[in-house]
Every structure is written in C-alpha cells, then in structure tokens.
Amino acid sequence: MNEFKKIVDIYINASIHVALAVYAFLRITEFYFDFTYQKNLDYFIFFGTITGYNFVKYAGVAKLHHRSLTSDLKIIQIFSLFCFIAMCYYAFLLPLNTLYFSFPFALLTVLYAVPFFGGFEKNLRNIGYLKIIIVALVWASFTVLIPYFYEANTISYQAFLLFIQRFLIVIALILPFEIRDLQFDAISLQTIPRKIGIPQTKRLGLILMLIALLISYALNTNFETKNTFMIFFFLVVIFLMRAKVNQSTYYSSFWVESLPIIWWLLLLGFHNF
C-alpha cells in the first residue's frame, strides 16, 4: 500500500495528472468542433503542461536545495527534462503561426513563476486575485483558442464562446484548491476565500458554473454533448460545495483535477454508444 501511495504521489507531484486534465480539455474541444485528432499539438501542450507546472513548482526549490533534493524530487527533475525535450520535438512539428499565437500565453506561464517586479522579488503568483485569473486564462487559451487557431487559422464566435465557458470552468475548478490553501498561504496573499470567505467563494463558483451552463446551450453542439456537460456541471458543483480547508490529501489534487478527464471519458462513451 505504501508503494502504491508513493507512485500516486509521484504521479501527482510530477504534474502528470494535471497534464492529463489539460489533455482531456483539448480532446473535448476537438469533440465540440468535430476536429480531427490534433496529435502534434495535443502532445506539445501535454508535455508543455508538465514542463511548465514543474518549473513553477520546483524551480525555486531546486535552486535553493540542489544538493539536498529528495530522491522523488530528483526523479521529477529528470522526468521534467525528458518532457521538455518531448515538448521541443513536437513544437518543431507545429506551424510557426501556431507557435507565434501560443507565445504570449507561454510567456504568462514564465512570468507566473519568475520574479520580475517589486525589485525582482515578486511574480504574478504573489498577486491573489490575478493568480487565479492568469491560470484560467492560460488553461482556456491552450485548450480552446490555440487548438481552434491550429485547425482553422482564425477564431470564430463559437470558439470565443467556448473559451469564455472554459475560463469560467477552470476558475470554478481552482476554488477548492484556494479553499484548501487557506491554511498554507501567507495572510498577505489576498486570495478569493480569504477576501470574501469560504461560503461566498462557493457561491461564486456556483454562479460561474451556472453561466457556463447557459453558454453550453448557446454552443452549436448535439444533444449528447449537452447532456454530458450537465453531468460534469453537477460533479463540479458537488465537489465545490464539499470543499473545506482541512480536506483529504487527494480531494483537490486528484479528484477535482480528475473531473475534466471524467467529462472527456463520458463524451467518448456517448460518442461510441
């Protein structure tokens, strides 16, 4: 059991699970617009997610504690290097205009982790409200705008609607993490739960999901797709409403992040039924 837990922890801490959630969102976008499987782009974003997340999480740790890194962290470092190489490989297979279109959102990821203001002591992650908006913006851009631009070389009204919906969904999915992190974040970091309280944070998440639900009916999708979104909607609301500060270890980092994967699998099931 301890060995299994260790494997699960490395799987989560190495950002494989979050990358699968991003990959699931990509495949959902392909479903919504009836795109062919965008293998090179999907793998580029999958490996880029692992590279980006691990850079954000561990760059400072590795710099300060290079000689005393745990064996698990060294494994994650080596794994991240291979993922970076894979990301670069798939980047070379993409059209230049797609890479140019992706650049501003990739830059936001870098600025999220690298201090560049306040005397080079603060980064975008240190700004409570801005932090959650940037994460949602990057996720929505990489899982809606970029795959649509890659396929159509433009952005349509339907793509913009799905982008707004995805942006709202990602914010709602982040809120359980924000509630959990109240016990870890500095008081000076004015996150949404610290500013408005946990009950109001849950109400905010519910409102965002209700707007996302309304948008789902404005999208040109079939009946099965709308029904699948309804299931996903209720799952997100249930997990959001049950979120608390002292939640179980895997509540947010595994189960909440599994919801996009579950949504994708439901779509696959309905599609193949």
Side-chain angles (χ1 to χ4, degrees), residues 27-131:
R27 300 308 306 274
I28 289 165
T29 298
E30 292 168 7
F31 262 104
Y32 268 59
F33 295 117
D34 198 27
F35 291 161
T36 55
Y37 178 35
Q38 302 169 324
K39 175 186 172 182
N40 293 336
L41 179 68
D42 290 359
Y43 283 170
F44 165 70
I45 295 176
F46 174 79
F47 289 114
T49 300
I50 294 174
T51 302
Y53 263 81
N54 288 348
F55 172 72
V56 169
K57 288 192 292 186
Y58 303 120
V61 175
K63 182 179 179 181
L64 294 173
H65 307 286
H66 181 71
R67 293 185 178 180
S68 59
L69 291 176
T70 65
S71 59
D72 288 353
L73 193 50
K74 288 178 181 176
I75 291 170
I76 292 172
Q77 275 192 314
I78 295 169
F79 173 70
S80 300
L81 175 61
F82 281 108
C83 288
F84 174 73
I85 294 169
M87 179 193 73
C88 292
Y89 169 76
Y90 284 105
F92 278 113
L93 301 179
L94 297 177
L96 276 177
N97 61 346
T98 300
L99 294 176
Y100 291 148
F101 190 78
S102 307
F103 179 76
F105 309 110
L107 181 62
L108 272 178
T109 303
V110 174
L111 295 180
Y112 184 79
V114 176
F116 69 100
F117 68 96
F120 294 98
E121 294 178 356
K122 293 184 178 181
N123 52 36
L124 296 177
R125 196 179 187 183
N126 299 129
I127 306 175
Y129 283 115
L130 192 57
K131 178 182 75 169

Side-chain angles (χ1 to χ4, degrees), residues 206-226:
L206 177 59
I207 291 169
L208 296 178
M209 287 305 299
L210 286 171
I211 297 171
L213 181 61
L214 291 175
I215 292 174
S216 73
Y217 287 96
L219 291 166
N220 294 330
T221 55
N222 57 37
F223 185 70
E224 290 82 4
T225 303
K226 287 180 169 60

Side-chain angles (χ1 to χ4, degrees), residues 56-263:
V56 169
K57 288 192 292 186
Y58 303 120
V61 175
K63 182 179 179 181
L64 294 173
H65 307 286
H66 181 71
R67 293 185 178 180
S68 59
L69 291 176
T70 65
S71 59
D72 288 353
L73 193 50
K74 288 178 181 176
I75 291 170
I76 292 172
Q77 275 192 314
I78 295 169
F79 173 70
S80 300
L81 175 61
F82 281 108
C83 288
F84 174 73
I85 294 169
M87 179 193 73
C88 292
Y89 169 76
Y90 284 105
F92 278 113
L93 301 179
L94 297 177
L96 276 177
N97 61 346
T98 300
L99 294 176
Y100 291 148
F101 190 78
S102 307
F103 179 76
F105 309 110
L107 181 62
L108 272 178
T109 303
V110 174
L111 295 180
Y112 184 79
V114 176
F116 69 100
F117 68 96
F120 294 98
E121 294 178 356
K122 293 184 178 181
N123 52 36
L124 296 177
R125 196 179 187 183
N126 299 129
I127 306 175
Y129 283 115
L130 192 57
K131 178 182 75 169
I132 193 171
I133 292 171
I134 288 172
V135 172
L137 175 64
V138 171
W139 273 58
S141 299
F142 271 103
T143 63
V144 177
L145 295 184
I146 292 169
Y148 195 93
F149 183 82
Y150 174 76
E151 183 79 16
N153 213 30
T154 187
I155 299 296
S156 69
Y157 174 69
Q158 287 289 308
F160 181 73
L161 274 182
L162 187 64
F163 166 77
I164 296 298
Q165 184 197 57
R166 190 68 50 80
F167 177 80
L168 299 176
I169 289 169
V170 173
I171 290 180
L173 289 172
I174 293 172
L175 292 178
F177 290 87
E178 295 279 282
I179 292 171
R180 178 200 66 184
D181 290 344
L182 272 175
Q183 59 186 317
F184 307 116
D185 289 334
I187 295 175
S188 59
L189 186 60
Q190 291 298 303
T191 59
I192 292 175
R194 191 176 299 282
K195 192 72 174 177
I196 67 175
I198 293 175
Q200 292 293 350
T201 298
K202 293 180 178 181
R203 291 190 188 99
L204 173 63
L206 177 59
I207 291 169
L208 296 178
M209 287 305 299
L210 286 171
I211 297 171
L213 181 61
L214 291 175
I215 292 174
S216 73
Y217 287 96
L219 291 166
N220 294 330
T221 55
N222 57 37
F223 185 70
E224 290 82 4
T225 303
K226 287 180 169 60
N227 280 348
T228 307
F229 181 79
M230 282 295 297
I231 298 171
F232 173 74
F233 168 84
F234 283 116
L235 286 173
V236 173
V237 170
I238 289 169
F239 274 90
L240 176 62
M241 292 304 156
R242 291 177 59 86
K244 54 187 179 181
V245 175
N246 296 312
Q247 56 188 249
S248 64
T249 304
Y250 302 114
Y251 186 86
S252 292
S253 60
F254 182 82
W255 295 112
V256 172
E257 281 189 346
S258 294
L259 296 180
I261 302 169
I262 293 170
W263 184 12

